[in-house]
């Protein structure tokens, strides 16, 4: 492996690790689920993609490169769908958004009847819906 390939691999791995770290910090620090979802999907997908590219470059074999590319494509296809479904489920269950969220496009679509007929949340948990856990005997 030449020094150029080693440097490129190192840059890809370090930058992938950085973006993955930023995704983790975003999940911990951001105030509501939609913002956390944004951080985890965008920065997480970019970070993992860069790590896979560095892995493919480091090994330099066709089998490793094809698996890395397949994993990146899988992430690019599934991460937005999963994020959309998590966000939709959170919205429909009545998760409160932070007061810094100023635009609610989904509610506007619901008001116009463009949201597929599910205008109201399916259910909303109240403190009485959550069963109290029993203390196990000692």
């Amino acid at each position: 492996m030449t020094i150029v390939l080693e440097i490129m691999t190192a840059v890809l791995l370090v930058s992938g690790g950085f973006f993955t770290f930023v995704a983790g910090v975003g999940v911990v620090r951001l105030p509501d689920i939609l913002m956390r979802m944004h951080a985890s999907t965008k920065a997480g997908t970019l970070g993992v993609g860069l790590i896979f590219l560095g892995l493919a470059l480091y090994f330099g074999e066709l089998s490793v490169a094809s698996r890395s590319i397949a994993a990146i494509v899988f992430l690019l296809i599934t991460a937005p769908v999963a994020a959309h479904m998590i966000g939709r489920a959170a919205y429909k269950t009545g998760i409160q958004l932070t007061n810094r969220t100023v635009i609610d496009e989904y509610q506007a679509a619901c008001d116009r009847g463009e949201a597929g007929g599910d205008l109201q949340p399916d259910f909303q948990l109240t403190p009485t819906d959550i069963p109290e856990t029993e203390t196990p005997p000692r």
Side-chain angles (χ1 to χ4, degrees), residues 17-78:
F18 172 75
F19 280 108
T20 305
F21 175 74
V22 168
V25 169
V27 168
V28 172
R29 297 283 301 167
L30 291 175
D32 69 14
I33 190 165
L34 297 180
M35 292 183 189
R36 290 183 195 134
M37 180 183 62
H38 176 79
S40 66
T41 55
K42 305 257 178 173
T45 302
L46 178 62
V48 173
L50 290 173
I51 290 172
F52 274 123
L53 284 177
L55 181 74
L57 198 60
Y58 177 76
F59 284 104
E61 297 175 6
L62 181 62
S63 63
V64 174
S66 62
R67 289 180 194 156
S68 295
I69 291 172
I72 291 169
V73 169
F74 180 76
L75 276 174
L76 290 176
I77 291 172
T78 58

Side-chain angles (χ1 to χ4, degrees), residues 7-135:
I7 290 173
M8 288 176 60
T9 300
V11 167
L12 286 171
L13 292 176
V14 169
S15 60
F18 172 75
F19 280 108
T20 305
F21 175 74
V22 168
V25 169
V27 168
V28 172
R29 297 283 301 167
L30 291 175
D32 69 14
I33 190 165
L34 297 180
M35 292 183 189
R36 290 183 195 134
M37 180 183 62
H38 176 79
S40 66
T41 55
K42 305 257 178 173
T45 302
L46 178 62
V48 173
L50 290 173
I51 290 172
F52 274 123
L53 284 177
L55 181 74
L57 198 60
Y58 177 76
F59 284 104
E61 297 175 6
L62 181 62
S63 63
V64 174
S66 62
R67 289 180 194 156
S68 295
I69 291 172
I72 291 169
V73 169
F74 180 76
L75 276 174
L76 290 176
I77 291 172
T78 58
V81 173
H84 177 79
M85 297 309 293
I86 292 169
R88 186 179 170 109
Y91 191 90
K92 290 179 78 173
T93 56
I95 298 292
Q96 292 294 318
L97 302 177
T98 181
N99 58 0
R100 292 190 292 178
T101 302
V102 293
I103 298 174
D104 190 356
E105 292 178 350
Y106 189 66
Q107 182 62 44
C110 290
D111 292 342
R112 291 189 308 267
E114 298 171 356
D118 51 354
L119 300 177
Q120 299 296 323
D122 292 339
F123 63 95
Q124 188 164 4
L125 289 176
T126 60
T128 58
D129 295 333
I130 302 171
E132 293 184 26
T133 57
E134 296 181 20
T135 306

